[in-house]
């Protein structure tokens, strides 16, 4: 219920106030399973994706965000999966794979935190690993303008156009044994599409 409220509210806000423009929407499958990967330059990014992607997105979010009053409430309410910064928690990896195996959609910001494009912060391979394990496609999305609409450290958004460019699906079937090289190739493919 909370997810639907946030989705409808976000769609109205982003369309009317931020003039949200979507390019490449034909690349989004009508139903899951699939993994969405996107750049993360603002706290608005998750709301932007929720506003126009039809299937429900289960986000993988940094565990510390669940401790914040407002964001923690929202993340728990929409069923987001907490991710620890160090090491891997097998329980949450299994939960993420189960989302995909039951036809769901995962939303992942592969850089693991809010970053500026100039930061050059390297992407993690979690999205690639989960997509290959579940044998589902990855849909890369580039969000532009959200960092200007709500820059890091500000509380009130500014009027700024937001645009999302959606790339073609990246196949992640298990043709070969899963290894570091395969994961790196997939990560490079979607990060190239995003940036």
């Amino acid at each position: 219920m909370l997810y639907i409220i946030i989705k409808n509210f976000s769609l109205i806000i982003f369309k009317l106030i931020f003039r949200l423009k979507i390019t490449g929407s034909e690349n989004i499958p009508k139903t899951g399973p699939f993994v969405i990967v996107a750049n993360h330059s603002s706290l608005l990014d998750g709301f932007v994706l929720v506003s126009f992607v039809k299937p429900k997105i289960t986000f993988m979010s940094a565990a510390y965000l669940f401790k914040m009053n407002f964001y923690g409430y929202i993340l728990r309410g929409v069923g987001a999966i907490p991710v620890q910064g160090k090491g891997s928690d097998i329980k949450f990896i299994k939960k993420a794979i189960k989302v995909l195996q039951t036809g769901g959609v995962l939303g992942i910001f592969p850089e693991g935190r809010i970053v500026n494009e100039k930061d050059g912060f390297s992407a993690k391979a979690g999205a690639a690993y989960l997509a290959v394990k579940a044998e589902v496609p990855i849909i890369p999305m580039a969000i532009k303008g959200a960092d200007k609409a709500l820059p890091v450290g500000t509380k009130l958004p500014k009027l700024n156009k937001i645009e999302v460019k959606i790339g073609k699906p990246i196949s992640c079937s298990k043709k070969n044994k899963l290894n570091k090289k395969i994961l790196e190739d997939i990560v490079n493919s979607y990060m190239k599409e995003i940036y």
Side-chain angles (χ1 to χ4, degrees), residues 2-4 6 56-59 73-80:
L2 179 60
Y3 187 91
I4 293 169
I6 292 170
K56 179 182 184 246
I57 305 169
T58 299
F59 285 97
Y73 171 76
I74 289 176
L75 290 170
R76 284 188 296 275
V78 300

Side-chain angles (χ1 to χ4, degrees), residues 22-181:
I22 311 295
T23 306
S25 56
E26 69 278 4
N27 292 323
I28 307 175
K30 288 185 171 40
T31 60
F34 58 89
V35 176
I36 293 170
V37 292
N39 58 307
H40 196 18
S41 63
S42 169
L43 285 172
L44 291 177
D45 295 328
F47 296 101
V48 171
L49 298 179
V50 165
S51 74
F52 71 88
V53 175
K54 286 186 181 174
K56 179 182 184 246
I57 305 169
T58 299
F59 285 97
M60 305 218 33
S61 303
Y64 76 88
L65 291 173
F66 287 76
K67 296 173 184 174
M68 297 173 140
N69 289 337
F70 177 69
Y71 291 107
Y73 171 76
I74 289 176
L75 290 170
R76 284 188 296 275
V78 300
I81 300 170
V83 178
Q84 300 296 333
K86 294 178 182 177
S88 59
D89 191 323
I90 194 71
K91 180 173 76 168
F92 296 119
I93 291 171
K94 284 182 177 177
K95 193 172 180 181
I97 290 173
K98 189 173 181 183
V99 167
L100 296 171
Q101 288 174 337
T102 54
V105 176
L106 278 182
I108 299 175
F109 299 111
E111 289 156 307
R113 63 179 178 93
I114 292 177
V115 295
N116 185 297
E117 190 175 339
K118 296 171 186 173
D119 290 349
F121 192 72
S122 62
K124 295 174 173 59
Y129 174 82
L130 292 167
V132 172
K133 284 297 262 185
E135 297 190 78
V136 301
I138 292 176
I139 314 298
M141 300 189 183
I143 304 170
K144 297 179 187 277
D147 57 332
K148 292 180 178 66
L150 187 67
V152 176
T154 59
K155 292 183 179 178
L156 295 173
K158 302 171 183 176
L159 291 179
N160 190 78
K161 187 175 180 180
I162 296 176
E163 183 177 359
V164 181
K165 293 184 177 179
I166 303 155
K168 293 190 181 301
I170 297 167
S171 175
C172 293
S173 59
K174 276 194 273 192
K175 292 176 182 172
N176 302 304
K177 188 176 177 182
L178 184 60
N179 59 46
K180 190 177 178 182
K181 174 72 169 63

